[in-house]
Amino acid sequence: MAACYTPVYRPAPEHGVITRWVDGDTCEIQCSSGDGLTWHEKVRLYGVYAPEIGESGADDATKDMTNSFPPGSEVHLEYPERKRDGSIVWRDAFGRLLATISNNQSK
């Protein structure tokens, strides 16, 4: 019998620090809570559609995002996707946060 589990997700963070870019539309951030707890989340950028790894233009897209938001950048996350009932869509089908990001330099 295969083991199964249900992932436990923390509340969607409002801020984080970029740790790396997976590709041109997905990054990993480090989040922290007020009580000193830290964790990592993958963020799929809402409204950004970059080529997948291995496709033409993928390296350039990743480089562009790395230049705009280098690792160590503090970012603010917003969650614009809404369900029909008006509630917020926090995550995509792969468990990544679905958000836009901004920082002081990008505003």
Side-chain angles (χ1 to χ4, degrees):
M1 177 185 258
C4 66
Y5 67 95
T6 301
V8 176
Y9 295 120
R10 302 191 186 294
E14 293 182 13
H15 303 280
V17 176
I18 302 275
T19 57
R20 73 182 185 102
W21 283 94
V22 176
D23 58 24
D25 56 22
T26 304
C27 65
E28 190 172 276
I29 62 170
Q30 180 176 322
C31 309
S32 58
S33 64
D35 59 4
L37 180 67
T38 62
W39 69 97
H40 286 83
E41 293 273 9
K42 283 190 178 170
V43 178
R44 170 64 171 82
L45 299 181
Y46 180 83
V48 176
Y49 303 98
E52 297 299 321
I53 295 172
E55 293 180 356
S56 176
D59 291 342
D60 288 336
T62 303
K63 187 182 298 181
D64 288 346
M65 293 310 295
T66 302
N67 289 336
S68 297
F69 298 94
S73 297
E74 293 185 24
V75 293
H76 175 76
L77 288 84
E78 293 188 25
Y79 303 91
E81 183 72 19
R82 304 279 180 195
K83 296 180 186 176
R84 289 179 191 245
D85 66 3
S87 63
I88 296 172
V89 175
W90 302 104
R91 297 188 184 274
D92 67 7
F94 301 102
R96 300 173 296 189
L97 293 172
L98 185 59
T100 61
I101 61 172
S102 61
N103 63 17
N104 290 337
Q105 290 76 37
S106 66
K107 289 183 178 179

